[in-house]
Amino acid sequence: MKIIELKETITASNDRDAEVLRDRLKRSKTLLINLMSSPGAGKTTLLERTIKDVKDGLKIGVIEADVDSDVDAVRLAELGITAVQAHTDGMCHMDAGMTETALTELGFEDHDLIFLENVGNLICPAEFDTGSGRNVMILSVPEGDDKPLKYPLMFTKSHVLLITKIDTMQVFDFDIGKCVSRARKLNPDIRVFPVSAKTGEGMDAWEEWLLDEIRAWQE
């Protein structure tokens, strides 16, 4: 009897597709940010604040990936950016092929920056390369500082960790030092930005990093 490892076959094929897509994005000078988090971590609120702060002089688009609904896409489109809703029909992640379809619908070639707001969970999105230039994950203070211990792959695959809702630190038992230490044991190169989209605290550092990455991608 021969055993076929289907997951390995699927991910290897996706990885090849992702590299092709990433090359297309690089040639078009369009930076794709794959934004990942658990449900309720504040992805859309963070995107709203970020887009309002940096949109001057930039063509920005958003792909909203959800199992269903178009609530978030409608909300972000009101900011005057281009937005498309990608329904995954029950799938818990976006892969390179799905992302390419959404990018084509968006018309990515004339954009400087596109955010892919991936499906909300800390497992599946980390397993599939979307073709993004950078992976950014959100961990909100109410979720707890032990998440690097429970979901290591997400932290390993991400270039940036945004610790959000830091305005709630007095309410929740969250140790930023422990969280950052645990994340950097998994990924020594990960950049960490504690932020609050509500108060604006820490947003400048995150947005400066983002603008630097756009400039570097377009060189």
Side-chain angles (χ1 to χ4, degrees), residues 128-140:
F128 288 85
D129 191 343
T130 60
S132 65
R134 296 291 182 267
N135 293 322
V136 175
M137 71 165 293
I138 290 177
L139 176 65
S140 65

Side-chain angles (χ1 to χ4, degrees), residues 30 47 49 67 78 83 127 148 169 178 180 200-201:
T30 303
L47 276 180
R49 180 74 185 237
V67 174
E78 291 175 352
E127 296 179 334
M169 287 286 291
K178 285 183 179 179
V180 173
E201 184 178 357

Side-chain angles (χ1 to χ4, degrees), residues 145-152 155 178-179 182-183 185-186:
D145 55 40
D146 60 350
K147 292 302 177 288
L149 303 176
K150 296 181 177 181
Y151 304 99
F155 292 84
K178 285 183 179 179
C179 182
R182 289 163 177 166
K185 282 183 180 179
L186 297 167

Side-chain angles (χ1 to χ4, degrees), residues 54-71:
V54 306
K55 69 178 183 177
D56 289 349
L58 294 176
K59 181 68 179 294
I60 300 176
V62 173
I63 298 168
E64 280 290 336
D66 276 306
V67 174
D68 205 349
S69 91
D70 62 356
V71 174

Side-chain angles (χ1 to χ4, degrees), residues 31 33 50-51 53-58 60 112-113 115 203-219:
L31 178 62
I33 299 287
T50 301
I51 290 167
D53 289 347
V54 306
K55 69 178 183 177
D56 289 349
L58 294 176
I60 300 176
D112 301 295
L113 173 65
F115 289 102
M203 292 296 292
D204 286 349
W206 147 244
E207 290 161 1
E208 183 179 351
W209 175 88
L210 183 61
L211 293 172
D212 285 345
E213 290 300 308
I214 295 171
R215 285 189 286 267
W217 190 258
Q218 294 180 343
E219 288 179 352

Side-chain angles (χ1 to χ4, degrees), residues 135-201:
N135 293 322
V136 175
M137 71 165 293
I138 290 177
L139 176 65
S140 65
V141 165
E143 294 175 83
D145 55 40
D146 60 350
K147 292 302 177 288
L149 303 176
K150 296 181 177 181
Y151 304 99
L153 184 62
M154 178 70 74
F155 292 84
T156 301
K157 295 287 188 178
S158 295
H159 298 93
V160 167
L161 166 62
L162 294 172
I163 300 177
T164 61
K165 304 185 183 180
I166 59 171
D167 53 289
T168 67
M169 287 286 291
Q170 293 182 344
V171 179
F172 295 95
D173 184 17
F174 187 98
D175 189 318
I176 283 187
K178 285 183 179 179
C179 182
V180 173
S181 177
R182 289 163 177 166
R184 286 187 171 146
K185 282 183 180 179
L186 297 167
N187 182 355
D189 296 324
I190 196 168
R191 297 289 301 274
V192 182
F193 299 103
V195 300
S196 168
K198 181 178 180 180
T199 68
E201 184 178 357

Side-chain angles (χ1 to χ4, degrees), residues 11 22-23 36 43 51 79 90 102-103 114-115 121 125 142 144 148 200:
T11 55
R22 197 161 16 251
D23 182 63
M36 302 176 286
K43 288 195 299 297
I51 290 167
L79 299 176
L103 285 167
I114 296 176
F115 289 102
N121 74 80

